[in-house]
């Protein structure tokens, strides 16, 4: 519970949460109470991308007030839309909170976004001002610049016609000296349903859509997530995801509301920062957890033959030990979302088998899991995976290692959390129960509500569901079919206990010529479990069979074939030995003997000579594959795969 709230015995938990969500003053009112209660406790610890090495809660919110007052002095008011084009840093967060303190609406985008994206988002959102990380980003505004009354630069010199953040802070100090109650009046005027932000989705096809989120939308997650995850005051949170993405942004709010410390990191220093910070709380996209898992498996490949066999035996035994443990506890799912329930005799046999595998599990702890925990800092109490689908083998690996690994689900349109596994109910194969005050249902193509264990489209309803897409009524109507429900576009089902299970994405479904529907994500995850395959994309819509585009794991392949670093990726992709190895991997991993159906088998394979990247537009900022962009880039190649 946040400081300032009294716990009335007559108030139900649900009523208390609703009151917090509907609180006047928005995000700032809640977070400022947290700051008042903590004062000199550390709030932010910076890295080289930050302005300040350390800020206490008092210092941080003093800066928020000065920036907000300075923006007010520049003529910005409640309801104004302000572009925020910058990367994750202390000044990003301070600028964001300053905008919200005024009742303004910020429109964030990453500094690495293309000029076309920045121009579109700032222009489409009808921004009247912009805050940019450096003066070099001003040209990215392009035609949108002509409608901006002010452009604030966070770092470095300000080009002509712009102003530095230092000048804004100075104006804010002067303004507050003359009118100390300015911000109190501004915050008092903020209503729960006022817009707080417009976040443009990364988009897998076409222009991004501007998700309109109110203060109440954001407060739903801020009020609920700390209680669901049992976050402890004073803990350290490692922040490295894009701040403009709703996942990282709301987690920052959650951390500050809980009285924790935000420690800034980056993808370049992440491994070192895990050791330096030793965080209790960390959240990342699936690609991060795949990378750590891949590093462990690559290390095993480098061992001598005898040691490698010993470690592989230990991991296999540990995996079976964990599987039996879940089965005996009634935590093992069947394909219909039910839970396997072994009888007394079976339980006895399973318990004996589990005991037989315990030495291998113990050995895996000593040889592998201890090193993995150390690589993550050794102090983690909560680890979250979100922002995309997590491969099942990676999920299982972290859980069997004994790490507090929780898979979650949400989207920008839901601010973002819809469901998350909780420490006391960490069921593999699911993404947890809906968080409090959130309803989830499964519907078929006609909108009929389906029962538990039946597969269909996932819809969610709650205080976190967006107000709609800015200036896009057609897309809003599709996403919000009525009665407050959000159509997620994801395919899944509810387990018999109400945990959510994702099985695919409606718009990613590949329909083969024979009418068979293929969900590519589970099959692609099966392929990327190979140490030789970094990424896989299945294609074949309207064709007789599937084909696969593969990005090879060049690091592992160099070691396997003894190739020097001078051998380029394109040369490796053309190496007949590598091509054959990857084809064999595909055939072995997606096969009828493994339970795959005939139409799921991959008929053609092509090895790509470059990875997918954010810069080329084939990955989103959270490292999700943009299928439309990939298929467009490789359209001619894909056509060739099916031409004979």
């Amino acid at each position: 519970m946040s400081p300032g709230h009294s716990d009335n015995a007559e108030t139900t938990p649900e009523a208390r949460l609703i009151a917090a969500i509907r609180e006047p003053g928005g995000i700032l009112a809640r977070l400022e109470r947290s700051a008042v209660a903590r004062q000199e406790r550390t709030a932010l610890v910076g890295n080289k991308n930050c302005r300040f090495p350390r800020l206490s809660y008092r210092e941080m919110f003093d800066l928020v007030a000065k920036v907000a007052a300075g923006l007010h002095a520049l003529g910005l008011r409640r309801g104004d839309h302000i572009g925020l084009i910058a990367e994750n840093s202390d000044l990003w967060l301070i600028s964001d909170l300053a905008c919200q303190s005024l009742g303004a609406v910020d429109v964030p985008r990453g500094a690495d976004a293309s000029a076309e994206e920045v121009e579109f988002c700032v222009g489409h959102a009808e921004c009247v001002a912009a805050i940019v990380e450096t003066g070099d980003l001003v040209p990215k505004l392009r035609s949108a610049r002509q409608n901006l009354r002010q452009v604030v630069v966070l770092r470095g010199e300000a080009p002509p016609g712009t102003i530095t953040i230092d000048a804004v802070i100075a104006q804010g100090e002067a303004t507050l000296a003359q009118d100390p109650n300015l911000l109190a009046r501004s915050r008092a005027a903020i209503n729960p349903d006022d817009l707080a932000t417009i976040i443009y989705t990364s988009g897998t096809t076409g222009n991004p859509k501007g998700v309109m989120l109110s203060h109440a939308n954001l407060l739903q997650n801020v009020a609920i997530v700390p209680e669901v995850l049992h976050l402890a005051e004073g803990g350290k949170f490692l922040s490295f995801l894009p701040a403009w993405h709703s996942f990282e942004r709301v987690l920052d709010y959650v951390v500050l509301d809980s009285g924790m410390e935000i420690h800034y990191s980056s993808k370049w220093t992440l491994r070192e920062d895990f050791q330096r910070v030793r965080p209790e709380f960390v959240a990342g996209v699936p690609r991060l957890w795949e990378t750590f898992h891949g590093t462990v498996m690559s290390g095993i490949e480098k061992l001598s033959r005898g040691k490698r066999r010993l470690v592989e035996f230990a991991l296999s035994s540990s995996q079976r030990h964990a599987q039996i443990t879940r089965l005996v506890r009634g935590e093992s799912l069947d394909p219909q979302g039910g839970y396997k329930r072994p009888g007394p005799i079976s339980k006895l046999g399973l318990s004996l088998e589990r005991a037989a595998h315990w030495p291998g599990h113990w050995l895996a702890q000593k040889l592998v899991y201890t090193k993995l925990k150390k690589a993550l800092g050794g102090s983690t109490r909560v680890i979250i995976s979100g922002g995309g689908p997590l491969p099942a083998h990676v999920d299982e690996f972290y859980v069997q290692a004994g790490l507090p690994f929780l898979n979650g689900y949400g989207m920008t349109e839901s601010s973002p959390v819809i469901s998350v596994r909780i420490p006391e109910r960490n069921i593999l194969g699911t993404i947890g129960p809906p968080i409090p005050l959130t309803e989830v249902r499964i519907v078929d193509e006609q909108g009929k509500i389906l029962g538990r264990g039946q597969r269909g489209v996932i819809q969610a309803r709650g205080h976190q569901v967006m107000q709609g897409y800015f200036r896009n009524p057609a897309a809003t109507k599709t996403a919000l079919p009525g009665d407050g429900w959000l159509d997620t576009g994801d395919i899944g089902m509810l387990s018999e206990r109400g945990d959510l299970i994702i099985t695919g994405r409606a718009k990613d479904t590949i329909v083969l010529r024979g009418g068979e529907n293929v969900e590519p994500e589970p099959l692609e995850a099966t392929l990327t479990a190979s140490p030789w395959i970094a990424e896989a994309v299945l294609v074949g819509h309207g064709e007789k069979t599937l084909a696969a585009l593969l990005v090879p794991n060049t690091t592992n392949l160099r070691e396997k074939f003894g190739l020097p670093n001078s051998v380029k990726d394109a040369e490796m992709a053309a190496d007949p030995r590598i091509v054959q190895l990857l084809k064999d991997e595909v055939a072995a991993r997606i096969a009828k003997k493994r339970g795959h159906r005939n139409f799921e088998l991959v008929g053609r394979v092509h090895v790509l000579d470059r990875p997918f990247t954010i810069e080329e537009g084939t990955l989103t900022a959270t490292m999700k594959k943009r299928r439309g962009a990939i298929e467009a880039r490789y359209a001619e190649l894909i056509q060739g795969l099916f031409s004979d």
Side-chain angles (χ1 to χ4, degrees):
M1 181 177 299
S2 291
H5 282 290
S6 60
D7 192 3
N8 188 331
E10 301 296 323
T11 303
T12 66
E14 180 175 307
R16 176 174 56 82
L17 288 173
I18 291 174
I21 293 166
R22 303 296 303 172
E23 178 181 7
I27 288 288
L28 252 294
R30 184 178 180 96
L31 295 186
E32 199 162 46
R33 276 200 311 277
S34 176
V36 168
R38 274 104 190 189
Q39 290 289 322
E40 300 308 318
R41 296 200 64 150
T42 298
L44 307 180
V45 178
N47 64 356
K48 66 179 183 180
N49 198 43
C50 293
R51 173 69 175 275
F52 304 98
R54 177 191 174 277
L55 287 174
S56 68
Y57 274 83
R58 178 185 57 78
E59 291 168 333
M60 176 186 171
F61 279 87
D62 281 350
L63 277 169
V64 169
K66 290 173 183 176
V67 173
L71 294 176
H72 183 275
L74 293 176
L76 299 177
R77 299 292 185 268
R78 178 186 177 193
D80 282 344
H81 294 186
I82 303 173
L84 178 50
I85 318 302
E87 293 304 315
N88 196 17
S89 72
D90 49 7
L91 288 180
W92 190 102
L93 183 58
I94 288 166
S95 299
D96 165 46
L97 295 177
C99 290
Q100 295 196 45
S101 186
L102 284 179
V105 179
D106 62 27
V107 182
R109 202 70 180 168
D112 61 352
S114 68
E116 291 81 7
E117 280 192 5
V118 172
E119 178 185 32
F120 173 80
C121 295
V122 174
H124 184 267
E126 301 175 347
C127 291
V128 300
I131 300 171
V132 299
E133 184 164 344
T134 64
D136 294 340
L137 295 177
V138 174
K140 284 191 175 185
L141 296 168
R142 292 183 169 181
S143 64
R145 175 75 173 88
Q146 63 189 6
N147 296 317
L148 302 179
R149 300 198 297 267
Q150 300 289 344
V151 176
V152 178
V153 178
L154 295 179
R155 294 199 299 163
E157 295 182 2
T162 69
I163 185 173
T164 65
I165 190 67
D166 288 332
V168 173
I169 291 171
Q171 288 196 31
E173 288 179 333
T175 300
L176 290 175
Q178 294 177 357
D179 186 357
N181 297 319
L182 168 66
L183 296 180
R185 294 196 304 274
S186 294
R187 292 168 192 169
I190 297 173
N191 296 315
D193 295 322
D194 286 349
L195 269 188
T197 187
I198 300 174
I199 302 177
Y200 280 81
T201 60
S202 330
T204 53
T205 57
N207 283 325
K209 297 190 291 288
V211 178
M212 297 189 291
L213 300 179
S214 68
H215 286 267
N217 291 152
L218 298 173
L219 279 169
Q220 199 267 9
N221 273 200
V222 176
I224 288 172
V225 169
E227 297 188 12
V228 169
L229 299 181
H230 311 310
L231 298 181
E233 182 172 353
K236 299 173 182 177
F237 171 66
L238 197 59
S239 175
F240 53 87
L241 294 176
W244 61 266
H245 192 271
S246 60
F247 184 33
E248 176 68 31
R249 178 177 182 172
V250 169
L251 285 177
D252 286 350
Y253 298 162
V254 163
V255 166
L256 293 175
D257 185 65
S258 303
M260 301 177 72
E261 301 174 4
I262 295 177
H263 289 250
Y264 286 99
S265 180
S266 70
K267 61 183 179 181
W268 298 280
T269 63
L270 189 56
R271 292 182 184 276
E272 295 81 2
D273 290 340
F274 266 110
Q275 302 302 308
R276 177 179 58 82
V277 176
R278 303 188 68 208
E280 285 86 3
F281 179 32
V282 64
V285 294
R287 179 65 66 88
L288 171 68
W289 311 121
E290 289 182 77
T291 299
F292 273 101
H293 173 263
T295 300
V296 170
M297 303 312 290
S298 296
I300 293 170
E301 287 291 327
K302 296 176 185 177
L303 298 173
S304 65
R305 185 177 180 182
K307 288 182 179 179
R308 185 172 69 249
R309 285 186 172 180
L310 177 64
V311 173
E312 288 173 346
F313 158 77
L315 288 175
S316 177
S317 191
S318 175
Q319 181 182 39
R320 183 57 184 159
H321 180 274
Q323 290 170 347
I324 295 171
T325 299
R326 293 194 298 272
L327 190 57
V328 170
R329 292 176 178 173
E331 297 177 350
S332 183
L333 283 171
D334 64 30
Q336 287 73 45
Y339 291 82
K340 300 173 185 177
R341 296 177 176 86
I345 296 178
S346 296
K347 274 190 176 182
L348 177 60
L350 288 168
S351 296
L352 293 173
E353 185 183 353
R354 180 177 181 272
H357 284 289
W358 186 86
H361 175 64
W362 177 86
L363 190 59
Q365 289 282 2
K366 294 293 183 182
L367 298 178
V368 180
Y369 303 151
T370 299
K371 294 178 181 178
L372 175 62
K373 292 173 183 176
K374 184 177 180 181
L376 295 174
S379 298
T380 48
R381 296 181 62 240
V382 179
I383 302 176
I384 302 290
S385 178
L390 178 71
H393 70 281
V394 177
D395 193 2
E396 184 178 20
F397 180 78
Y398 283 92
V399 172
Q400 76 190 35
L403 285 161
F405 194 76
L406 308 174
N407 197 5
Y409 169 69
M411 52 200 310
T412 304
E413 288 85 344
S414 58
S415 309
V417 185
I418 291 174
S419 69
V420 64
R421 298 202 309 240
I422 53 181
E424 59 270 28
R425 185 171 163 179
N426 196 7
I427 308 296
L428 278 178
T430 80
I431 44 177
I435 62 174
L437 302 184
T438 302
E439 301 173 79
V440 168
R441 69 182 185 185
I442 311 296
V443 301
D444 64 14
E445 292 180 356
Q446 287 72 44
K448 177 185 175 183
I449 300 173
L450 302 177
R452 294 187 176 183
Q454 293 183 287
R455 186 176 303 183
V457 176
I458 300 168
Q459 294 186 344
R461 181 166 68 179
H463 295 271
Q464 73 269 53
V465 171
M466 67 171 180
Q467 295 188 344
Y469 296 114
F470 187 66
R471 293 176 57 196
N472 197 336
T476 298
K477 185 176 181 180
T478 300
L480 302 176
D483 295 329
W485 289 99
L486 168 67
D487 191 314
T488 67
D490 288 316
I491 304 296
M493 62 182 174
L494 289 168
S495 76
E496 66 177 56
R497 296 179 189 169
D499 292 310
L500 189 54
I501 301 167
I502 300 288
T503 59
R505 178 86 182 149
K507 65 181 179 182
D508 289 340
T509 300
I510 297 172
V511 183
L512 297 175
R513 197 173 299 172
E516 304 93 343
N517 287 359
V518 180
E519 301 301 335
E521 285 182 353
L523 297 175
E524 291 164 355
T526 297
L527 295 179
T528 55
S530 165
W532 319 122
I533 300 174
E535 278 291 0
V537 174
L538 295 183
V539 295
H541 190 74
E543 303 291 343
K544 291 181 180 179
T545 62
L546 294 173
L549 305 180
L550 304 180
V551 175
N553 188 320
T554 54
T555 300
N556 290 354
L557 288 167
R558 287 182 199 280
E559 293 174 358
K560 178 175 177 60
F561 291 106
L563 301 174
N565 291 333
S566 59
V567 177
K568 298 179 180 179
D569 289 0
E571 295 175 85
M572 295 179 67
D575 188 322
R577 298 171 300 168
I578 291 175
V579 172
Q580 190 58 52
L581 173 62
L582 297 188
K583 286 182 176 179
D584 292 343
E585 281 288 289
V586 172
R589 290 176 180 273
I590 300 180
K592 286 192 284 186
K593 67 181 181 181
R594 288 179 174 264
H596 294 107
R597 296 165 289 184
N598 281 335
F599 63 83
E600 293 177 317
L601 305 183
V602 178
R604 308 289 174 89
V605 172
H606 182 84
V607 182
L608 299 175
D609 60 4
R610 68 178 71 184
F612 303 133
T613 65
I614 296 172
E615 292 73 22
E616 289 186 348
T618 48
L619 291 179
T620 70
T622 51
M623 309 301 285
K624 289 185 285 190
K625 292 172 292 192
R626 300 181 70 177
R627 292 184 183 275
I630 292 169
E631 291 180 6
R633 173 174 285 275
Y634 296 106
E636 187 175 341
L637 187 157
I638 293 169
Q639 184 178 2
L641 287 173
F642 296 107
S643 62
D644 51 14

